[in-house]
C-alpha cells in the first residue's frame, strides 16, 4: 500500500492533476482547546465545562496533530468537528494518494492512561484532549469515526496485527479508575484496526458490521480506511464533576498514522427517560396501560414534554403519564437561562388488543383406527384464532398453561376426542394471558367395505352405498348424490359417505365387465395313468369363471385330473353371476381286468363309449403274451369273452392294441381272472 500511494503522489505532482477542494475535508489549526470543546464538540449553552487542555506533536514547523475539520459538501459523514491524530493533521485531507507517516525521531511520547486502558506498554505520538464537566442530565454521548493508514487493502500476513490505539476515558472526580467509552457496541472490546475490520483481505474480519470501507484514491480523507459512525456513551449523575480524556497514539512505532474524528455538536448532556417500549423488543405497553416517566433534575426550574416533536399542552411537570404511543422527549430548564439539555427520544408502542374470532376447532380422525386422535395444523389455527393478529406477533401453542415447550406445527392431540391447548403470544411479555383453544375430534366408526361386482353384457347394475349416512357424493359426471346409482359400463365408482358427525369415508365399487361363458373345446387326455380334461373357454368371453363336475363344488382351474373312464358333465359358472353353461364329455380307458365266469358282471373285456367320442370305427386287436392274435374287435362289438376258437383261455395277462379312428394308437395289457 505504501508503494502504491507513493506512486500516486508522484503522478499527482508530475501530471499536475488538480483535485477540487470541495471533494475533500479541510482542516484549521487555529482553534484553541477551549474553542474546540465548547464551540465545536459541545456547542450548547447547557455545557458546564472547565479545565480544558490539548497536547500533541511538537513539530518544528509549528504544525499540529489536533484541530478543527470541515466536511461540508463532501461525502464525509460529519459536516464539521475535531480531529485528533498521531501525525500532522494537514496530511488528513484527501485524496488518499500518499502515506501519512509522521512523528518519528522527535521524542513524542505515548500516554500511560491509554496504555493501562488497552493493556499496552509501547505507545508513541499521543494526542490528548481532556476537560472537566458537570452534567445536567443523566447521560452523555458523542459520535466519532476512527480512521487509519493501517487499514491496508493488500496487507502482508505479518501486518494483520498492526494497530494504533485510542480511548475515551471517563471518571467521576475522586475516583481512581477510568472507564473506556470507545468500545465495540454491546461489548467491552476497544475499537482498533484489528477489532473492527472488513473482509476482503488476508487479514481476518472483525465486527465488520461497524466497519465502513477500505478507501481508494478518491476519498475525502488521506486514510486507507475507517469505521462507520460510532457513538460513545455513558450514564452519569447530574451535578457531579467528571473528567474525560480523549487520547490516540501509535502503537509500537510512529509508522502509519491514525486519527479520531469527533462529530461537531454531538457531545450531548442528555436526559435518560428509560428504555423504549416496543413490540420489536417484546416490551410494549399493554392495552390501557399508563406509563409514568420521571425526568426530575436537581436545580431544574421548568419542564416541557413533547410528543412526536410537538409540544404537549399543559405537560410542564417533571413527571408525565403516557397513555398513547409515539416518540416522547422533554426539555428541562435551569435558572433564568434558556439552557435545556436534550433528552433521549423515548419510543412508545402499545400492544394490540386481540379479539378472539374462533377458539373451537374440529377435525375428523383421519386414520383407520378411529381412536379420537388426529393431526391439527396449528399454523392454520393461529390464523383463524384472532380477527386482528398483527403480522409481527409470534403465537405458539402449549399443552398446559405452565408448559414452556411449544407444540410442533403439526400436532396430534394426546387426549382422545376432546382436548384444550393454550395459545400464547411469546414475543410480547406481560400483556396477554394464555388463550384456551378447544380441539374436538370426530370419528367415522361405521364399517365400510369395498366391493367388486360384475356387469353382465347388455345389462345394467345398481350400486348401493348403504343407508344411514347424511350425504352421498359419487365420482360420476355429473356428480350423483343418492344412496343408489345405476351403471351400464365397467369402471371404478367411488362414493364419499358423510356421517352424522360430518366425517367422511370413501367406498369403492370395482365394476368389471362380465358375461356367460362359451365352451370352445374340452381337451381330453385319456388312456393314461392320470386322465385329464381341460376346459377351453372362448377368448371372447368376458367373465371370470370357475369350473365344476357336479354343479356344486367349483374350482378356479379349468383342468380336472385323475378322471376315471366314464361320462362327465362340466359346469362353467361366471363368478359375477352372469350365468352357467354346461357340456357332457367322456373319458375313455381300458379295463385293467375282466372275469368271464358267466355271472353277468364284467364277463367281457371291451372299451366303453367309443361311439360317444365318434370312435366307433376303431379297431381293437388282442394278443397273448407270445404275440398270437386272439381276437379283433370294432368299437361297436360286444367285446372279448376270453375264448379262442371256442376254447376257454387260461387266467393270465393279455396284450392289446387300439387303432383309434382319429389316428391315435393305444397299447397295453390287462388281466383275465377266473
Amino acid at each position: 500500500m505504501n508503494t502504491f500511494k507513493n506512486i500516486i503522489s508522484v503522478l499527482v505532482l508530475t501530471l499536475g492533476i488538480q483535485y477540487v477542494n470541495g471533494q475533500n475535508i479541510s482542516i484549521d489549526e487555529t482553534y484553541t482547546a477551549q474553542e474546540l470543546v465548547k464551540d465545536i464538540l459541545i456547542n450548547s449553552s447547557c455545557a458546564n465545562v472547565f479545565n480544558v487542555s490539548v497536547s500533541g506533536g511538537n513539530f518544528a514547523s509549528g504544525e499540529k496533530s489536533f484541530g478543527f475539520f470541515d466536511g461540508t459538501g463532501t461525502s464525509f459523514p460529519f459536516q464539521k468537528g475535531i480531529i485528533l491524530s498521531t501525525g500532522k493533521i494537514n496530511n488528513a485531507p484527501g485524496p488518499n494518494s500518499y502515506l501519512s507517516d509522521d512523528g518519528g525521531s522527535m521524542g513524542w511520547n505515548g500516554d500511560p492512561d491509554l496504555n493501562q486502558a488497552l493493556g499496552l506498554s509501547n505507545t508513541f505520538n499521543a494526542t490528548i484532549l481532556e476537560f472537566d464537566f458537570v452534567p445536567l442530565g443523566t447521560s452523555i454521548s458523542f459520535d466519532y469515526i476512527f480512521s487509519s493508514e493501517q487499514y491496508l487493502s493488500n496487507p502482508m500476513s505479518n501486518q494483520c496485527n498492526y494497530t494504533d490505539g485510542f480511548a475515551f476515558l471517563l471518571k467521576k472526580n475522586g475516583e481512581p479508575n477510568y472507564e473506556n467509552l470507545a468500545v465495540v457496541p454491546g461489548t467491552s472490546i476497544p475499537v482498533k484496526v484489528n477489532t473492527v475490520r472488513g473482509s476482503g483481505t488476508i487479514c481476518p474480519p472483525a465486527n465488520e458490521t461497524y466497519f465502513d470501507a477500505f478507501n481508494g484514491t478518491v476519498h475525502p480523507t488521506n486514510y486507507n480506511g475507517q469505521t462507520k459512525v460510532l457513538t460513545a456513551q455513558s450514564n452519569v449523575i447530574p451535578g457531579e464533576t467528571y473528567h474525560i480524556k480523549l487520547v490516540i497514539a501509535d502503537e509500537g512505532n510512529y509508522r502509519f498514522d491514525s486519527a479520531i474524528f469527533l462529530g461537531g455538536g454531538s457531545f450531548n448532556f442528555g436526559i435518560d427517560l428509560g428504555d423504549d417500549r416496543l413490540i420489536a423488543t417484546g416490551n410494549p405497553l399493554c392495552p390501557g396501560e399508563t406509563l409514568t416517566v420521571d425526568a426530575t433534575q436537581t436545580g431544574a426550574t421548568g419542564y416541557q414534554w413533547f410528543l412526536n416533536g410537538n409540544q404537549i399542552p399543559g405537560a410542564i411537570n417533571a413527571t408525565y403519564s403516557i397513555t398513547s404511543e409515539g416518540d416522547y422527549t422533554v426539555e428541562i430548564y435551569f435558572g433564568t437561562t434558556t439552557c435545556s439539555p436534550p433528552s433521549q427520544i423515548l419510543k412508545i408502542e402499545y400492544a394490540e388488543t386481540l379479539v378472539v374470532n374462533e377458539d373451537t376447532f374440529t377435525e375428523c380422525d383421519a386414520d383407520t383406527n378411529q381412536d379420537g386422535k388426529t393431526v391439527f395444523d396449528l399454523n392454520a389455527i393461529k390464523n383463524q384464532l384472532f380477527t386482528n393478529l398483527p403480522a409481527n406477533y409470534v403465537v405458539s401453542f402449549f399443552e398446559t398453561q405452565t408448559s414452556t415447550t411449544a407444540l410442533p406445527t403439526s400436532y396430534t392431540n394426546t387426549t382422545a376426542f376432546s382436548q384444550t391447548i393454550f395459545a400464547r403470544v411469546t414475543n410480547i411479555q406481560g400483556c396477554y394471558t394464555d388463550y384456551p383453544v378447544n380441539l374436538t375430534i370426530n370419528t367415522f366408526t361405521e364399517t365400510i367395505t369395498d366391493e367388486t361386482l360384475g356387469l353382465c353384457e347388455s345389462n345394467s347394475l345398481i350400486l348401493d352405498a348403504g343407508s344411514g349416512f347424511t350425504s352421498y357424493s359419487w365420482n360420476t359426471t355429473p356428480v350423483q348424490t343418492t344412496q343408489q346409482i345405476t351403471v351400464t359400463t365397467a369402471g371404478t365408482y367411488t362414493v364419499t359417505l358423510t356421517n352424522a358427525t360430518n366425517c367422511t369415508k370413501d367406498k369403492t365399487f370395482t365394476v368389471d365387465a362380465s358375461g356367460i361363458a362359451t365352451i370352445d373345446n374340452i381337451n381330453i387326455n385319456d388312456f393314461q395313468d392320470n386322465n385329464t380334461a381341460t376346459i377351453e373357454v372362448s377368448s371372447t368371453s368376458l367373465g371370470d369363471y370357475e369350473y365344476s363336475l357336479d354343479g356344486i363344488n367349483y374350482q378356479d382351474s379349468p383342468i380336472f385330473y385323475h378322471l376315471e373312464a366314464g361320462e362327465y358333465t362340466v359346469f362353467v359358472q361366471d363368478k359375477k353371476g352372469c350365468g352357467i353353461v354346461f357340456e357332457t364329455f367322456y373319458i375313455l380307458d381300458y379295463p385293467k381286468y375282466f372275469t368271464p365266469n358267466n355271472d353277468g358282471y364284467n364277463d367281457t373285456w371291451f372299451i366303453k363309449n367309443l361311439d360317444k367320442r365318434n370312435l366307433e370305427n376303431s379297431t381293437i386287436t388282442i394278443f397273448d403274451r407270445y404275440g398270437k392274435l386272439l381276437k379283433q374287435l370294432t368299437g361297436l362289438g360286444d367285446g372279448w369273452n376270453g375264448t379262442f376258437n371256442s376254447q376257454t383261455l387260461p387266467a393270465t395277462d393279455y396284450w392289446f392294441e387300439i387303432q383309434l379312428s382319429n389316428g391315435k394308437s393305444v397299447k397295453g395289457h390287462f388281466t383275465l381272472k377266473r
Side-chain angles (χ1 to χ4, degrees):
M1 187 66 187
N2 300 19
T3 303
F4 174 76
K5 292 181 70 171
N6 289 335
I7 292 173
I8 292 296
S9 178
V10 170
L11 288 174
V12 169
L13 295 174
T14 302
L15 300 177
I17 297 175
Q18 299 297 315
Y19 286 90
V20 179
N21 289 336
Q23 294 177 340
N24 308 311
I25 67 168
S26 60
I27 60 99
D28 187 334
E29 299 178 331
T30 64
Y31 281 72
T32 66
Q34 188 81 5
E35 290 171 335
L36 288 173
V37 172
K38 294 200 68 175
D39 298 339
I40 304 301
L41 181 61
I42 298 176
N43 191 24
S44 170
S45 60
C46 294
N48 185 359
V49 176
F50 48 97
N51 295 334
V52 181
S53 66
V54 65
S55 62
N58 186 20
F59 295 101
S61 59
E63 295 169 296
K64 296 180 179 178
S65 61
F66 57 86
F68 169 82
F69 74 87
D70 187 350
T72 305
T74 74
S75 61
F76 198 65
F78 295 143
Q79 294 278 301
K80 62 179 180 178
I82 298 172
I83 176 173
L84 307 177
S85 175
T86 62
K88 299 175 182 179
I89 63 171
N90 63 7
N91 290 333
N96 180 32
S97 57
Y98 63 93
L99 181 68
S100 178
D101 202 23
D102 302 321
S105 303
M106 56 183 289
W108 188 4
N109 296 324
D111 180 74
D113 291 328
L114 178 63
N115 288 343
Q116 183 175 357
L118 302 185
L120 303 175
S121 60
N122 58 345
T123 58
F124 298 86
N125 298 5
T127 296
I128 304 165
L129 175 64
E130 54 188 328
F131 56 90
D132 293 329
F133 67 93
V134 178
L136 295 174
T138 54
S139 64
I140 64 163
S141 66
F142 55 93
D143 299 332
Y144 68 95
I145 294 172
F146 172 56
S147 297
S148 180
E149 295 283 34
Q150 290 180 334
Y151 277 123
L152 302 174
S153 60
N154 188 27
M156 294 181 291
S157 59
N158 65 338
Q159 294 177 307
C160 289
N161 289 324
Y162 285 1
T163 181
D164 290 338
F166 74 99
F168 302 147
L169 304 176
L170 176 71
K171 68 177 178 178
K172 190 170 69 170
N173 278 10
E175 291 184 348
N177 299 319
Y178 282 108
E179 174 191 6
N180 182 18
L181 308 185
V183 293
V184 176
T187 75
S188 58
I189 301 171
V191 174
K192 297 192 293 184
V193 170
N194 58 1
T195 62
V196 178
R197 176 165 50 204
S199 57
T201 73
I202 64 172
C203 299
N207 298 299
E208 55 184 322
T209 299
Y210 305 107
F211 181 71
D212 181 22
F214 297 104
N215 299 326
T217 303
V218 179
H219 191 264
T221 71
N222 186 33
Y223 295 101
N224 289 329
Q226 63 280 322
T227 68
K228 293 181 179 178
V229 175
L230 301 175
T231 299
Q233 55 190 351
S234 179
N235 293 327
V236 291
I237 301 172
E240 295 285 345
T241 299
Y242 287 83
H243 183 75
I244 191 166
K245 182 176 185 178
L246 312 177
V247 55
I248 185 170
D250 284 325
E251 179 184 350
N253 55 49
Y254 71 93
R255 306 301 306 275
F256 294 87
D257 292 341
S258 298
I260 289 294
F261 292 89
L262 302 171
S266 69
F267 197 103
N268 292 321
F269 298 92
I271 306 302
D272 187 358
L273 299 180
D275 294 332
D276 292 338
R277 303 293 297 271
L278 305 175
I279 291 173
T281 53
N283 65 335
L285 296 184
C286 297
E289 181 180 357
T290 297
L291 176 66
T292 299
V293 183
D294 190 347
T296 300
Q297 298 295 313
T298 303
T301 58
Y303 300 85
Q304 177 61 61
W305 291 86
F306 295 81
L307 172 59
N308 298 328
N310 300 315
Q311 191 177 95
I312 303 173
I316 57 174
N317 296 320
T319 59
Y320 181 73
S321 295
I322 294 174
T323 58
S324 61
E325 63 183 21
D327 293 347
Y328 288 85
T329 55
V330 61
E331 287 185 354
I332 305 174
Y333 307 104
F334 294 86
T336 58
T337 71
T338 58
C339 168
S340 176
S343 72
Q344 71 173 72
I345 296 176
L346 176 62
K347 295 182 177 295
I348 299 295
E349 292 177 348
Y350 272 83
E352 190 78 28
T353 300
L354 296 179
V355 178
V356 175
N357 174 52
E358 182 181 355
D359 59 6
T360 298
F361 299 87
T362 301
E363 293 285 349
C364 289
D365 195 335
D367 54 28
T368 57
N369 60 8
Q370 296 296 291
D371 58 357
K373 296 180 181 179
T374 196
V375 177
F376 285 83
D377 182 351
L378 298 187
N379 265 343
I381 288 177
K382 178 191 71 173
N383 294 333
Q384 300 172 56
L385 183 58
F386 302 104
T387 61
N388 61 331
L389 182 68
N392 55 353
Y393 277 37
V394 178
V395 176
S396 298
F397 294 86
F398 299 83
E399 281 197 333
T400 67
Q401 290 177 286
T402 58
S403 175
T404 57
T405 302
L407 299 176
T409 301
S410 295
Y411 171 66
T412 300
N413 58 297
T414 57
T415 302
F417 306 109
S418 180
Q419 183 172 349
T420 298
I421 60 175
F422 298 89
R424 186 180 305 162
V425 180
T426 56
N427 66 327
I428 297 175
Q429 305 301 318
C431 288
Y432 304 106
T433 58
D434 290 350
Y435 295 86
V437 176
N438 304 307
L439 306 180
T440 300
I441 303 88
N442 291 331
T443 58
F444 194 119
T445 57
E446 296 87 342
T447 300
I448 302 300
T449 304
D450 294 339
E451 297 184 42
T452 299
L453 303 173
L455 177 61
C456 300
E457 296 172 280
S458 302
N459 290 341
S460 61
L461 181 65
I462 295 176
L463 306 182
D464 190 338
S467 61
F469 302 103
T470 59
S471 70
Y472 304 83
S473 180
W474 295 84
N475 67 332
T476 55
T477 303
V479 174
Q480 299 181 70
T481 58
T482 56
Q483 176 182 331
Q484 297 178 338
I485 64 170
T486 300
V487 299
T488 58
T489 58
T492 300
Y493 296 85
T494 300
V495 57
T496 299
L497 308 171
T498 304
N499 69 1
T501 62
N502 205 37
C503 294
T504 62
K505 273 189 182 179
D506 287 344
K507 178 179 176 69
T508 297
F509 293 86
T510 302
V511 177
D512 297 328
S514 194
I516 195 167
T518 298
I519 299 175
D520 271 357
N521 183 47
I522 301 176
N523 187 5
I524 297 171
N525 186 19
D526 48 11
F527 292 107
Q528 305 292 326
D529 290 337
N530 178 14
N531 297 323
T532 64
T534 301
I535 315 305
E536 297 176 352
V537 174
S538 171
S539 61
T540 60
S541 298
L542 299 175
D544 182 13
Y545 303 110
E546 56 187 2
Y547 306 84
S548 174
L549 293 180
D550 60 7
I552 299 173
N553 301 300
Y554 282 86
Q555 65 181 40
D556 289 335
S557 173
I559 304 174
F560 295 95
Y561 299 93
H562 303 291
L563 300 179
E564 296 181 357
E567 179 182 351
Y568 292 88
T569 299
V570 63
F571 300 86
V572 181
Q573 175 174 266
D574 175 44
K575 292 182 179 181
K576 304 298 189 305
C578 292
I580 301 173
V581 295
F582 59 89
E583 187 172 319
T584 299
F585 68 92
Y586 295 87
I587 295 294
L588 302 180
D589 210 345
Y590 63 90
K592 301 301 186 288
Y593 67 92
F594 76 111
T595 57
N597 55 9
N598 297 316
D599 63 356
Y601 176 75
N602 204 21
D603 285 333
T604 60
W605 187 90
F606 67 99
I607 307 300
K608 294 180 181 179
N609 297 322
L610 284 172
D611 59 329
K612 303 296 177 54
R613 296 268 295 278
N614 295 319
L615 298 172
E616 61 271 15
N617 293 324
S618 300
T619 300
I620 306 168
T621 305
I622 301 173
F623 307 89
D624 65 9
R625 68 175 62 230
Y626 303 107
K628 180 180 178 180
L629 176 63
L630 301 177
K631 185 72 173 179
Q632 193 170 58
L633 309 170
T634 67
L636 296 176
D638 294 332
W640 181 50
N641 62 2
T643 65
F644 179 71
N645 292 331
S646 300
Q647 297 293 319
T648 300
L649 295 180
T652 185
D653 284 354
Y654 295 89
W655 274 254
F656 70 89
E657 180 179 6
I658 306 172
Q659 291 291 335
L660 297 173
S661 57
N662 63 6
K664 182 179 179 180
S665 176
V666 179
K667 295 180 180 180
H669 62 89
F670 59 89
T671 301
L672 187 156
K673 294 183 179 181
R674 296 286 181 184

